[in-house]
Amino acid sequence: MNASSPPPQPTRHANTAQTQGAPLQIDLALQGGGSHGAFTWGVLDRLLDEEGLEFAAISGTSAGAMNAVVLASGLMEGGREGAKLALHRFWQRVSQLSPFHALSAAAEHPFTQWALPWLEPMQHAAAAWSGQFSPYQFNPLNHNPLRQVLSETVDFERVRHCHKTRLFISATQVRTGRLRVFDQSELSADVVLASACLPQMFQAVEIEGEAYWDGGYAGNPSLLPLITDSPADDLLLVQINPIERASVPTRVGDILDRVSEITFNASLIKELRSIALLQELVTGEVEPGHVFRQPLLRRVQALRTHLLDGGDSLSELGAKSKTQTHWPFLQRLHTLGVQATDRWLTQQGDALGQRSSFDLQQVLQA
């Protein structure tokens, strides 16, 4: 497939409660997860086909933050089709700036197909080598290719003034360990890079005199801003980090990968449990029609939650694949995201605007 233009998409038809009439506003919560964010790219591509849906607000962390700002920039430039083109352009540039891009492109040639199986081991070897040193040692100039990608694909002035959606981007303050959620008016390339700053790979990003690391440590992503500062009552969480795995890891690399998954899901699970507890209290302690004095309780009572996750298709790839950025792999993830969203809309789409399709009580009972 030619990487210079997005893949052709079949005509889609809305399967939501708002097929006719005013579009239904929904909120999106986009997790981070390295190159697995290309799965979310596929999800967004498919949701953009639904003219009966509008994104009232988006909360994103790491790769989720990047998808969010690219989407907003594209929406302002050219509406839904502009957003699709922007997302395609962003992920294409991610693949091109990878040190493995040239080998990956060569491997697509019929005479060099043998090279593909070597890509992943080479990336793992490079990751293992860099893991022996601090980024202040092996990357003293603090080069981050994602800065170039963002500068080429995102107009942050448009993002800050975007009126088609509202953005919330999470990062973790190094000094205090606290979550900071950056509002749309504060967004810049530095904020997005801070949200995606893995401390083993990149130097901390300084903003207003404070150093920041990846937002996944404290909010992956943060849900509270969507409840308190968005008019939408439907919240769709796009999850790309598996919460459960069937087997216990025994190799050092697999153990570290599982620890990372648990760490980057912990803040989300805690927040989901807090919301579930509030909903349980609100439902059990008040009569129907009760008027709450606290706006937060009103918003929690009205909240309808939905979950779209990568499921087995992402779990079977393993955590190590989050560093793979060659174009065929990203395209594969995009396709998985489109297919998963198709299935979700078919099975759960009619719940939007009507009821929750994801029971938060499951989180309490887990």
Side-chain angles (χ1 to χ4, degrees):
M1 183 179 295
N2 189 344
S4 63
S5 59
Q9 296 290 328
T11 301
R12 308 285 188 180
H13 300 283
N15 187 44
T16 68
Q18 300 290 114
T19 303
Q20 296 181 350
L24 174 69
Q25 290 194 320
I26 67 171
D27 290 334
L28 298 177
L30 309 181
Q31 268 200 326
S35 65
H36 287 191
F39 174 90
T40 304
W41 164 33
V43 172
L44 296 174
D45 245 14
R46 179 62 185 87
L47 290 176
L48 285 165
D49 289 325
E50 297 292 313
E51 295 186 359
L53 297 177
E54 286 184 350
F55 308 142
I58 306 173
S59 178
T61 296
S62 195
M66 295 193 180
N67 276 318
V69 297
V70 172
L71 175 73
S73 181
L75 282 173
M76 290 297 286
E77 182 177 0
R80 293 173 185 264
E81 289 306 312
K84 285 189 170 190
L85 288 171
L87 286 163
H88 180 273
R89 187 163 58 244
F90 170 79
W91 285 102
Q92 181 186 23
R93 291 298 289 137
V94 167
S95 74
Q96 291 170 346
L97 285 181
S98 164
F100 301 95
H101 170 71
L103 180 56
S104 174
E108 293 178 12
H109 193 278
F111 294 103
T112 55
Q113 284 292 317
W114 56 269
L116 277 175
W118 295 94
L119 283 173
E120 184 175 355
M122 287 175 64
Q123 285 178 300
H124 292 171
W129 177 84
S130 63
Q132 303 302 311
F133 303 92
S134 141
Y136 296 85
Q137 295 171 308
F138 73 78
N139 186 14
L141 298 179
N142 200 23
H143 174 67
N144 187 339
L146 289 174
R147 184 178 294 278
Q148 181 179 343
V149 174
L150 288 171
S151 69
E152 292 174 353
T153 57
V154 178
D155 184 335
F156 278 97
E157 186 66 22
R158 281 178 171 160
V159 170
R160 286 188 291 270
H161 293 89
C162 179
H163 55 78
K164 296 178 181 292
T165 190
R166 184 173 178 184
L167 303 184
F168 303 96
I169 303 302
S170 297
T172 304
Q173 195 177 81
V174 178
R175 181 175 59 87
T176 65
R178 294 174 182 169
L179 171 70
R180 175 168 175 182
V181 179
F182 290 88
D183 189 73
Q184 184 165 325
S185 62
E186 304 174 290
L187 296 187
S188 65
D190 279 342
V191 169
V192 178
L193 291 173
S195 181
C197 179
L198 289 173
Q200 302 91 336
M201 298 178 63
F202 303 109
Q203 297 180 24
V205 178
E206 186 172 310
I207 302 172
E208 299 171 352
E210 287 285 356
Y212 291 91
W213 282 341
D214 196 296
Y217 295 111
N220 194 18
S222 180
L223 305 181
L224 186 60
L226 299 178
I227 300 173
T228 59
D229 296 313
S230 171
D233 291 329
D234 288 85
L235 191 161
L236 175 59
L237 168 62
V238 181
Q239 186 171 5
I240 58 177
N241 291 301
I243 290 179
E244 296 184 4
R245 286 199 178 272
S247 59
V248 176
T250 57
R251 296 186 298 180
V252 172
D254 295 334
I255 292 171
L256 293 175
D257 288 340
R258 184 57 183 151
V259 168
S260 178
E261 286 179 343
I262 293 171
T263 301
F264 278 90
N265 275 324
S267 59
L268 174 64
I269 293 173
K270 182 178 180 180
E271 197 165 5
L272 287 172
R273 284 177 173 166
S274 297
I275 296 170
L277 281 170
L278 280 174
Q279 285 193 327
E280 187 175 62
L281 290 171
V282 167
T283 302
E285 296 297 327
V286 301
E287 298 294 330
H290 177 81
V291 178
F292 293 99
R293 289 180 296 174
Q294 294 293 330
L296 177 59
L297 295 180
R298 290 199 299 270
R299 299 292 297 125
V300 167
Q301 185 184 44
L303 183 66
R304 296 183 289 265
T305 53
H306 312 277
L307 174 67
L308 197 165
D309 66 41
D312 294 338
S313 61
L314 290 185
S315 295
E316 66 185 16
L317 294 176
K320 290 186 177 65
S321 66
K322 292 179 180 179
T323 61
Q324 293 185 37
T325 56
H326 54 288
W327 185 239
F329 181 68
L330 297 180
Q331 287 179 306
R332 176 187 172 193
L333 289 170
H334 172 271
T335 299
L336 290 173
V338 171
Q339 293 171 343
T341 310
D342 252 340
R343 290 192 299 271
W344 187 87
L345 288 170
T346 299
Q347 298 167 5
Q348 309 287 352
D350 60 352
L352 290 170
Q354 303 297 319
R355 63 186 184 279
S356 292
S357 60
F358 172 59
D359 185 4
L360 286 176
Q361 295 304 314
Q362 297 176 17
V363 182
L364 286 178
Q365 297 166 5

